[in-house]
């Protein structure tokens, strides 16, 4: 692959890459919105039936699965695991708020 | 919407929601892999041309845009911002490693 040379070429290439990243981020936000709607439902279901918000077994399975998927996609499995832990931490924080203040 | 009653119904509903969450997580991992490939290219381009790995102006624009998209998707804008900061922090960590050890 050619290496862009002049300042204008570098700037154009950076612009193209950033446009792709922006598209991917929009898709990620929409998927996160959908995921969050589903975990809200899980949280409400658990709160109604007195189930604990966190589930370490389920979380361990999710981590193992996402690490496998990440490896297949040439994504650093550590990154995928950190990502899931980040998401789950946020979700549990919301679930705990729900449990404290059932609507 | 009906509230599931018996333990079996609750368990079935939880299983359905978790299957959706697993599908969404697989999609998220694949999009993250694609995003990461693009930011690797950005990092390599910047490293080759002596540009700094972090770009606070670009990051501020990304945060403002993702917060708008999140609001439109009924996702907590704070969550979207934390998500982007998490991703960008990871990416900058990788870029800095590239800058220290150019290949």
């Amino acid at each position: 692959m050619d290496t862009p040379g002049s300042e204008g070429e570098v700037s154009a290439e950076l612009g193209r890459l950033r446009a792709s990243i922006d598209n991917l981020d929009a898709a990620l936000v929409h998927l996160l919105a959908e995921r969050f709607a589903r975990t809200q439902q899980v949280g409400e279901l658990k709160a109604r039936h007195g189930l604990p918000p966190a589930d370490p077994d389920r979380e361990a399975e999710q981590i193992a699965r996402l690490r496998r998927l990440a490896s297949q996609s040439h994504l650093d499995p550590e990154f995928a695991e950190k990502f899931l832990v980040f998401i789950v931490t946020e979700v549990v924080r919301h679930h705990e708020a729900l449990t404290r203040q059932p609507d």
Side-chain angles (χ1 to χ4, degrees), chain A:
Chain A
M1 211 164 52
D2 278 351
T3 301
S6 76
E7 206 176 303
E9 279 174 289
V10 172
S11 170
E13 176 66 5
L14 196 57
R16 274 190 293 273
L17 290 167
R18 285 176 164 176
S20 289
I21 291 167
D22 286 347
N23 283 339
L24 293 165
D25 281 345
L28 284 165
V29 161
H30 289 115
L31 283 177
L32 281 172
E34 186 61 22
R35 189 194 197 278
F36 205 67
R38 297 291 81 76
T39 56
Q40 287 278 22
Q41 284 184 273
V42 169
E44 286 161 12
L45 190 68
K46 286 179 168 182
R48 271 200 309 275
H49 296 278
L51 300 167
D55 184 336
D57 287 347
R58 157 83 176 153
E59 202 182 317
E61 279 168 26
Q62 284 175 292
I63 286 173
R65 180 174 168 271
L66 280 202
R67 289 186 68 106
R68 277 197 306 277
L69 285 172
S71 295
Q72 289 162 14
S73 311
H74 308 288
L75 181 71
D76 181 359
E78 289 299 315
F79 182 72
E81 174 166 350
K82 276 197 212 171
F83 168 73
L84 188 70
V85 168
F86 166 79
I87 300 279
V88 169
T89 303
E90 282 296 304
V91 164
V92 168
R93 207 168 55 74
H94 275 252
H95 284 191
E96 282 169 352
L98 270 179
T99 310
R100 282 196 301 272
Q101 307 177 330
D103 58 6

